[in-house]
Amino acid sequence: MILPLLLASLAVPGPCDAWNPIHGDPGLHCIELVPRPEFEHVSGRVRLAPAHSPFGLAATADGQARLDLILQLHGLPEGRYFAWASGPMLEPLVRLGEVTNGESTLGPVSLDRFIIFVTAESDSAPDRLGTLVLRGMSPSSVLLPHLAVPAPSTGHVHANGWEMPPPHPSAPVMTPGLEVLSPAVTPWHAGANANPDSLPPRRARTLVRLSDGDTLALEAGMVRRQVAGRSFTAYAFNGQSPGPLLEVERGARVTVVLANHLDQPTSVHWHGLRLDHRFDGAVGVSQEAVPPGRSFTYELVFPDAGIYWYHPHVREDIQQELGLYGNILVRGADSAVMGRVHREVVLILDDILLGADGPLAFGEKHATHALMGRFGNVFLVNGEPRWELDARPGEVVRLYLTNASNARTFNLGIAGARMKLVAGDMGRVEEERWVESVVLGPAERWVVDVRFDSAGTFALMNRVRGIEPRARAFLPVVDTLGVVTVQGRAAAPDLAGDFGRLRHHADLAREFAALDTLAGREPDRTLVLSVRTDGLPFGLVQALRADTGWVMPVEWAGLMPMMDWLATGKEVTWILRDSATGRENMDVDWRFQRGDRILLRLVNDRRTLHPMHHPIHLHGQRFTVVARNGRRVRDHVWKDTVIVPAGGTVDLLIEFDNPGRWMMHCHVAEHLETGMHLVVGVE
Ligand SMILES: [Cu+2]
């Protein structure tokens, strides 16, 4: 240990050593600029800050992170200086703008790996690099190639009954040595004791309009389902997956009688509804699980207009994956102040992990895929592998988007069609915005208006980036989820004028302005998001360690299915840690008073064996995001779920107005299952 200690003591402190942790992990967000020898008294650093975006991650249409560069420079002699960004091969070369001593904010930049140059220039608008003064490389430049071998193809089964996960088609390789390993839990399949031929076929979703005082019978049961050439036992509500789309007026009261006809206990959580906590469906907090053959009666209220959803709160990793989820559309006066549209379409997005014959087995007592969560290999839109819509030229369609997948974050776009963001988790956005894609984390909702200007076909696509495991090169991953065919006579009436207008909602602006005054203070509470592992196979730990030199802010694609599959809830504990007390998960015992406005900081610890983003959900209340990596957010909307990127910090202003005991947890089903939840009391 002498040599490293000696080197450390000799190291000259660099500009990134004086780093404010609020700005995110320095290993992902700070570039130390290195001067040319003639400029040895010049120093500088670049802070990589998330560009302004309504979403949890500022991303381009193809899924690259969009970053603003905040340059802090010292010691520049008299003269004119410019900053530039380029790819590793000096292509493309982007002039960022003029810089001076002190701080300059430039950008945004969306390059996977890049070099930053600061040059001295005589020209006022140089188009090529002048005398080099400082340069630095993006943190992503540390990625180095790995040893990897071809992954076994779909259908490979171990002697203990575990079928290995199918490789990702974009990167069919794996770390050598993993092929002999399987999860340290017993494989489990739904409906093993049921006769598959006796089960009804899964039906498509139907619309159910509910009025004040109505009662809905909701049966969670087993169905026979066909997806991508496999026929298997799945779950459904009233035989439908997604379950019935419930449409209800704001302010209504509705009774739902849940009957459990599954082969395991269940409950229903009404995601986003600020209802009576006794009917929140949070097993172990507000109710006991409903055993097979039994029922439970929920009394629902709908205080906010918007798009909500319902899903079980028992073994989500199994039950949600097998199709137990549905949407709730709450109507209110909201629609009158939003732009007019020709049609509304409610889309619930999912992915399912299929092996040779059906869903890959689940862990009987503990979840598999405990690190990244279970990424599927077949996309589902409203339960169908390929969603189709017919539209007319000029038609404006309002898309209500919900992400019901276990772990996947979508970056959705429709090439060739303009999209306007109009609402989020719990109602309208304060400022409508044009967006080129929608970043949708697990359990989040966003609402966009889309206009199909002319005839043609338009693909609904998920366009993201992954890191190819062998070359460790950035890889575009593109999946088509559906197609809109636009043809025939023009849609009437012509809504181009309405569509072209971006609304500013003054009522919301006033609400958020009042909260914004609270956002500048020190946080009332800080939660650190982390992970602890114990007993993982040595080969897997080695492979994971090699991957943490740099990590994507969002794990989009799940390109390492073997590594992910092998880790289970037996070895992995995901953690929410109160930084003031050191208490974790269910030992965190927060109590607030009704009416409290709390500033909560979420810090996603990247110095772990497997850093990853987390979609954090709070039951029964609402919040707005006020800062990301210490940068104030401009776009406010009421939310119940927020993406916290790996190595990033997010500040929330929470309105605690609904009394009861409420869960706060990660909505990656496998993270929730492996401990990542706490309870907040509101008195
Ligand atoms: Cu998580």
Side-chain angles (χ1 to χ4, degrees), residues 410-433:
F410 291 88
N411 186 43
L412 291 167
I414 301 179
R418 279 211 292 167
M419 285 201 302
K420 184 169 69 173
L421 186 74
V422 297
D425 288 354
M426 301 177 74
R428 288 167 290 145
V429 294
E430 173 188 356
E431 299 278 349
E432 295 183 351
R433 303 242 176 234

PDB file of all heavy atoms in Angstrom, residues 410-433:
ATOM      1  N   PHE A 410     -38.347   4.513 -21.440  1.00  0.00           N
ATOM      2  CA  PHE A 410     -38.532   4.702 -22.879  1.00  0.00           C
ATOM      3  C   PHE A 410     -38.056   6.092 -23.302  1.00  0.00           C
ATOM      4  O   PHE A 410     -38.116   7.033 -22.520  1.00  0.00           O
ATOM      5  CB  PHE A 410     -40.006   4.566 -23.252  1.00  0.00           C
ATOM      6  CG  PHE A 410     -40.557   3.173 -23.130  1.00  0.00           C
ATOM      7  CD1 PHE A 410     -41.085   2.711 -21.928  1.00  0.00           C
ATOM      8  CD2 PHE A 410     -40.551   2.317 -24.221  1.00  0.00           C
ATOM      9  CE1 PHE A 410     -41.597   1.419 -21.811  1.00  0.00           C
ATOM     10  CE2 PHE A 410     -41.068   1.032 -24.118  1.00  0.00           C
ATOM     11  CZ  PHE A 410     -41.589   0.587 -22.914  1.00  0.00           C
ATOM     12  N   ASN A 411     -37.615   6.196 -24.547  1.00  0.00           N
ATOM     13  CA  ASN A 411     -37.385   7.487 -25.187  1.00  0.00           C
ATOM     14  C   ASN A 411     -38.196   7.447 -26.482  1.00  0.00           C
ATOM     15  O   ASN A 411     -37.715   7.041 -27.530  1.00  0.00           O
ATOM     16  CB  ASN A 411     -35.897   7.696 -25.464  1.00  0.00           C
ATOM     17  CG  ASN A 411     -35.609   9.094 -25.986  1.00  0.00           C
ATOM     18  OD1 ASN A 411     -36.147  10.079 -25.488  1.00  0.00           O
ATOM     19  ND2 ASN A 411     -34.771   9.187 -27.013  1.00  0.00           N
ATOM     20  N   LEU A 412     -39.460   7.856 -26.369  1.00  0.00           N
ATOM     21  CA  LEU A 412     -40.428   7.635 -27.441  1.00  0.00           C
ATOM     22  C   LEU A 412     -40.494   8.805 -28.396  1.00  0.00           C
ATOM     23  O   LEU A 412     -40.541   9.957 -27.961  1.00  0.00           O
ATOM     24  CB  LEU A 412     -41.821   7.459 -26.844  1.00  0.00           C
ATOM     25  CG  LEU A 412     -42.064   6.197 -26.039  1.00  0.00           C
ATOM     26  CD1 LEU A 412     -43.360   6.342 -25.286  1.00  0.00           C
ATOM     27  CD2 LEU A 412     -42.097   4.981 -26.939  1.00  0.00           C
ATOM     28  N   GLY A 413     -40.548   8.494 -29.663  1.00  0.00           N
ATOM     29  CA  GLY A 413     -40.722   9.536 -30.655  1.00  0.00           C
ATOM     30  C   GLY A 413     -41.519   9.009 -31.826  1.00  0.00           C
ATOM     31  O   GLY A 413     -41.671   7.794 -32.008  1.00  0.00           O
ATOM     32  N   ILE A 414     -42.068   9.939 -32.611  1.00  0.00           N
ATOM     33  CA  ILE A 414     -42.758   9.571 -33.841  1.00  0.00           C
ATOM     34  C   ILE A 414     -42.086  10.364 -34.947  1.00  0.00           C
ATOM     35  O   ILE A 414     -42.272  11.584 -35.042  1.00  0.00           O
ATOM     36  CB  ILE A 414     -44.265   9.889 -33.771  1.00  0.00           C
ATOM     37  CG1 ILE A 414     -44.909   9.139 -32.596  1.00  0.00           C
ATOM     38  CG2 ILE A 414     -44.948   9.535 -35.088  1.00  0.00           C
ATOM     39  CD1 ILE A 414     -46.393   9.395 -32.432  1.00  0.00           C
ATOM     40  N   ALA A 415     -41.266   9.687 -35.747  1.00  0.00           N
ATOM     41  CA  ALA A 415     -40.501  10.386 -36.776  1.00  0.00           C
ATOM     42  C   ALA A 415     -41.455  11.048 -37.757  1.00  0.00           C
ATOM     43  O   ALA A 415     -42.400  10.418 -38.235  1.00  0.00           O
ATOM     44  CB  ALA A 415     -39.594   9.394 -37.494  1.00  0.00           C
ATOM     45  N   GLY A 416     -41.239  12.319 -38.014  1.00  0.00           N
ATOM     46  CA  GLY A 416     -42.028  13.019 -39.019  1.00  0.00           C
ATOM     47  C   GLY A 416     -43.280  13.685 -38.478  1.00  0.00           C
ATOM     48  O   GLY A 416     -43.977  14.369 -39.228  1.00  0.00           O
ATOM     49  N   ALA A 417     -43.591  13.474 -37.201  1.00  0.00           N
ATOM     50  CA  ALA A 417     -44.784  14.115 -36.633  1.00  0.00           C
ATOM     51  C   ALA A 417     -44.358  15.008 -35.472  1.00  0.00           C
ATOM     52  O   ALA A 417     -43.494  14.638 -34.692  1.00  0.00           O
ATOM     53  CB  ALA A 417     -45.782  13.066 -36.149  1.00  0.00           C
ATOM     54  N   ARG A 418     -44.992  16.201 -35.391  1.00  0.00           N
ATOM     55  CA  ARG A 418     -44.633  17.110 -34.300  1.00  0.00           C
ATOM     56  C   ARG A 418     -45.359  16.702 -33.028  1.00  0.00           C
ATOM     57  O   ARG A 418     -46.527  16.314 -33.069  1.00  0.00           O
ATOM     58  CB  ARG A 418     -45.003  18.542 -34.681  1.00  0.00           C
ATOM     59  CG  ARG A 418     -43.942  19.165 -35.576  1.00  0.00           C
ATOM     60  CD  ARG A 418     -43.880  20.661 -35.342  1.00  0.00           C
ATOM     61  NE  ARG A 418     -45.091  21.330 -35.816  1.00  0.00           N
ATOM     62  CZ  ARG A 418     -45.396  22.590 -35.509  1.00  0.00           C
ATOM     63  NH1 ARG A 418     -44.596  23.295 -34.735  1.00  0.00           N
ATOM     64  NH2 ARG A 418     -46.488  23.144 -35.977  1.00  0.00           N
ATOM     65  N   MET A 419     -44.644  16.817 -31.898  1.00  0.00           N
ATOM     66  CA  MET A 419     -45.214  16.439 -30.607  1.00  0.00           C
ATOM     67  C   MET A 419     -45.157  17.624 -29.657  1.00  0.00           C
ATOM     68  O   MET A 419     -44.132  18.278 -29.541  1.00  0.00           O
ATOM     69  CB  MET A 419     -44.419  15.300 -29.976  1.00  0.00           C
ATOM     70  CG  MET A 419     -44.673  13.957 -30.607  1.00  0.00           C
ATOM     71  SD  MET A 419     -44.214  12.597 -29.498  1.00  0.00           S
ATOM     72  CE  MET A 419     -42.523  12.931 -29.214  1.00  0.00           C
ATOM     73  N   LYS A 420     -46.266  17.840 -28.978  1.00  0.00           N
ATOM     74  CA  LYS A 420     -46.351  18.927 -28.009  1.00  0.00           C
ATOM     75  C   LYS A 420     -46.662  18.327 -26.646  1.00  0.00           C
ATOM     76  O   LYS A 420     -47.645  17.599 -26.494  1.00  0.00           O
ATOM     77  CB  LYS A 420     -47.466  19.889 -28.441  1.00  0.00           C
ATOM     78  CG  LYS A 420     -47.596  21.106 -27.576  1.00  0.00           C
ATOM     79  CD  LYS A 420     -48.530  22.127 -28.201  1.00  0.00           C
ATOM     80  CE  LYS A 420     -49.977  21.656 -28.202  1.00  0.00           C
ATOM     81  NZ  LYS A 420     -50.899  22.715 -28.655  1.00  0.00           N
ATOM     82  N   LEU A 421     -45.824  18.631 -25.658  1.00  0.00           N
ATOM     83  CA  LEU A 421     -46.034  18.107 -24.309  1.00  0.00           C
ATOM     84  C   LEU A 421     -47.084  18.952 -23.611  1.00  0.00           C
ATOM     85  O   LEU A 421     -46.924  20.171 -23.484  1.00  0.00           O
ATOM     86  CB  LEU A 421     -44.720  18.157 -23.530  1.00  0.00           C
ATOM     87  CG  LEU A 421     -44.759  17.512 -22.161  1.00  0.00           C
ATOM     88  CD1 LEU A 421     -44.771  15.996 -22.278  1.00  0.00           C
ATOM     89  CD2 LEU A 421     -43.581  17.968 -21.315  1.00  0.00           C
ATOM     90  N   VAL A 422     -48.172  18.316 -23.146  1.00  0.00           N
ATOM     91  CA  VAL A 422     -49.262  19.090 -22.541  1.00  0.00           C
ATOM     92  C   VAL A 422     -49.550  18.724 -21.088  1.00  0.00           C
ATOM     93  O   VAL A 422     -50.093  19.531 -20.342  1.00  0.00           O
ATOM     94  CB  VAL A 422     -50.568  18.973 -23.369  1.00  0.00           C
ATOM     95  CG1 VAL A 422     -50.367  19.568 -24.762  1.00  0.00           C
ATOM     96  CG2 VAL A 422     -51.067  17.538 -23.464  1.00  0.00           C
ATOM     97  N   ALA A 423     -49.183  17.515 -20.663  1.00  0.00           N
ATOM     98  CA  ALA A 423     -49.483  17.126 -19.279  1.00  0.00           C
ATOM     99  C   ALA A 423     -48.526  16.042 -18.815  1.00  0.00           C
ATOM    100  O   ALA A 423     -47.862  15.391 -19.631  1.00  0.00           O
ATOM    101  CB  ALA A 423     -50.932  16.654 -19.146  1.00  0.00           C
ATOM    102  N   GLY A 424     -48.460  15.885 -17.490  1.00  0.00           N
ATOM    103  CA  GLY A 424     -47.580  14.877 -16.896  1.00  0.00           C
ATOM    104  C   GLY A 424     -48.346  13.974 -15.949  1.00  0.00           C
ATOM    105  O   GLY A 424     -49.563  13.810 -16.080  1.00  0.00           O
ATOM    106  N   ASP A 425     -47.650  13.424 -14.948  1.00  0.00           N
ATOM    107  CA  ASP A 425     -48.243  12.441 -14.037  1.00  0.00           C
ATOM    108  C   ASP A 425     -49.613  12.861 -13.513  1.00  0.00           C
ATOM    109  O   ASP A 425     -50.549  12.086 -13.493  1.00  0.00           O
ATOM    110  CB  ASP A 425     -47.347  12.261 -12.788  1.00  0.00           C
ATOM    111  CG  ASP A 425     -46.066  11.508 -13.085  1.00  0.00           C
ATOM    112  OD1 ASP A 425     -45.907  11.019 -14.210  1.00  0.00           O
ATOM    113  OD2 ASP A 425     -45.225  11.420 -12.172  1.00  0.00           O
ATOM    114  N   MET A 426     -49.704  14.110 -13.024  1.00  0.00           N
ATOM    115  CA  MET A 426     -50.919  14.512 -12.318  1.00  0.00           C
ATOM    116  C   MET A 426     -51.462  15.824 -12.876  1.00  0.00           C
ATOM    117  O   MET A 426     -51.664  16.787 -12.161  1.00  0.00           O
ATOM    118  CB  MET A 426     -50.638  14.627 -10.815  1.00  0.00           C
ATOM    119  CG  MET A 426     -50.150  13.307 -10.222  1.00  0.00           C
ATOM    120  SD  MET A 426     -49.710  13.396  -8.487  1.00  0.00           S
ATOM    121  CE  MET A 426     -51.313  13.474  -7.707  1.00  0.00           C
ATOM    122  N   GLY A 427     -51.677  15.841 -14.177  1.00  0.00           N
ATOM    123  CA  GLY A 427     -52.319  17.008 -14.777  1.00  0.00           C
ATOM    124  C   GLY A 427     -51.409  17.816 -15.686  1.00  0.00           C
ATOM    125  O   GLY A 427     -50.278  17.439 -15.977  1.00  0.00           O
ATOM    126  N   ARG A 428     -51.950  18.972 -16.095  1.00  0.00           N
ATOM    127  CA  ARG A 428     -51.301  19.819 -17.100  1.00  0.00           C
ATOM    128  C   ARG A 428     -49.893  20.260 -16.695  1.00  0.00           C
ATOM    129  O   ARG A 428     -49.622  20.440 -15.519  1.00  0.00           O
ATOM    130  CB  ARG A 428     -52.134  21.092 -17.302  1.00  0.00           C
ATOM    131  CG  ARG A 428     -53.436  20.940 -18.024  1.00  0.00           C
ATOM    132  CD  ARG A 428     -54.265  22.207 -17.855  1.00  0.00           C
ATOM    133  NE  ARG A 428     -54.752  22.363 -16.495  1.00  0.00           N
ATOM    134  CZ  ARG A 428     -54.887  23.532 -15.858  1.00  0.00           C
ATOM    135  NH1 ARG A 428     -54.576  24.659 -16.462  1.00  0.00           N
ATOM    136  NH2 ARG A 428     -55.334  23.582 -14.631  1.00  0.00           N
ATOM    137  N   VAL A 429     -49.032  20.490 -17.703  1.00  0.00           N
ATOM    138  CA  VAL A 429     -47.750  21.144 -17.451  1.00  0.00           C
ATOM    139  C   VAL A 429     -48.013  22.647 -17.418  1.00  0.00           C
ATOM    140  O   VAL A 429     -48.919  23.148 -18.076  1.00  0.00           O
ATOM    141  CB  VAL A 429     -46.690  20.815 -18.537  1.00  0.00           C
ATOM    142  CG1 VAL A 429     -46.310  19.352 -18.502  1.00  0.00           C
ATOM    143  CG2 VAL A 429     -47.182  21.198 -19.937  1.00  0.00           C
ATOM    144  N   GLU A 430     -47.196  23.345 -16.632  1.00  0.00           N
ATOM    145  CA  GLU A 430     -47.335  24.795 -16.514  1.00  0.00           C
ATOM    146  C   GLU A 430     -47.120  25.458 -17.877  1.00  0.00           C
ATOM    147  O   GLU A 430     -47.862  26.351 -18.276  1.00  0.00           O
ATOM    148  CB  GLU A 430     -46.298  25.260 -15.486  1.00  0.00           C
ATOM    149  CG  GLU A 430     -46.133  26.717 -15.308  1.00  0.00           C
ATOM    150  CD  GLU A 430     -44.933  27.025 -14.388  1.00  0.00           C
ATOM    151  OE1 GLU A 430     -44.308  26.082 -13.850  1.00  0.00           O
ATOM    152  OE2 GLU A 430     -44.618  28.207 -14.236  1.00  0.00           O
ATOM    153  N   GLU A 431     -46.092  24.978 -18.611  1.00  0.00           N
ATOM    154  CA  GLU A 431     -45.754  25.530 -19.927  1.00  0.00           C
ATOM    155  C   GLU A 431     -45.761  24.380 -20.933  1.00  0.00           C
ATOM    156  O   GLU A 431     -45.001  23.429 -20.781  1.00  0.00           O
ATOM    157  CB  GLU A 431     -44.321  26.093 -19.930  1.00  0.00           C
ATOM    158  CG  GLU A 431     -44.056  27.219 -18.972  1.00  0.00           C
ATOM    159  CD  GLU A 431     -44.506  28.562 -19.513  1.00  0.00           C
ATOM    160  OE1 GLU A 431     -44.826  28.637 -20.732  1.00  0.00           O
ATOM    161  OE2 GLU A 431     -44.555  29.519 -18.729  1.00  0.00           O
ATOM    162  N   GLU A 432     -46.597  24.482 -21.957  1.00  0.00           N
ATOM    163  CA  GLU A 432     -46.535  23.469 -23.007  1.00  0.00           C
ATOM    164  C   GLU A 432     -45.245  23.646 -23.802  1.00  0.00           C
ATOM    165  O   GLU A 432     -44.751  24.769 -23.939  1.00  0.00           O
ATOM    166  CB  GLU A 432     -47.767  23.592 -23.906  1.00  0.00           C
ATOM    167  CG  GLU A 432     -49.056  23.280 -23.157  1.00  0.00           C
ATOM    168  CD  GLU A 432     -50.288  23.336 -24.049  1.00  0.00           C
ATOM    169  OE1 GLU A 432     -50.163  23.779 -25.214  1.00  0.00           O
ATOM    170  OE2 GLU A 432     -51.369  22.940 -23.568  1.00  0.00           O
ATOM    171  N   ARG A 433     -44.688  22.557 -24.279  1.00  0.00           N
ATOM    172  CA  ARG A 433     -43.396  22.607 -24.993  1.00  0.00           C
ATOM    173  C   ARG A 433     -43.428  21.674 -26.187  1.00  0.00           C
ATOM    174  O   ARG A 433     -44.036  20.610 -26.123  1.00  0.00           O
ATOM    175  CB  ARG A 433     -42.255  22.119 -24.095  1.00  0.00           C
ATOM    176  CG  ARG A 433     -42.109  22.854 -22.816  1.00  0.00           C
ATOM    177  CD  ARG A 433     -40.755  23.546 -22.719  1.00  0.00           C
ATOM    178  NE  ARG A 433     -40.693  24.335 -21.508  1.00  0.00           N
ATOM    179  CZ  ARG A 433     -40.387  25.628 -21.478  1.00  0.00           C
ATOM    180  NH1 ARG A 433     -40.097  26.278 -22.577  1.00  0.00           N
ATOM    181  NH2 ARG A 433     -40.362  26.271 -20.336  1.00  0.00           N
TER     182      ARG A 433
END
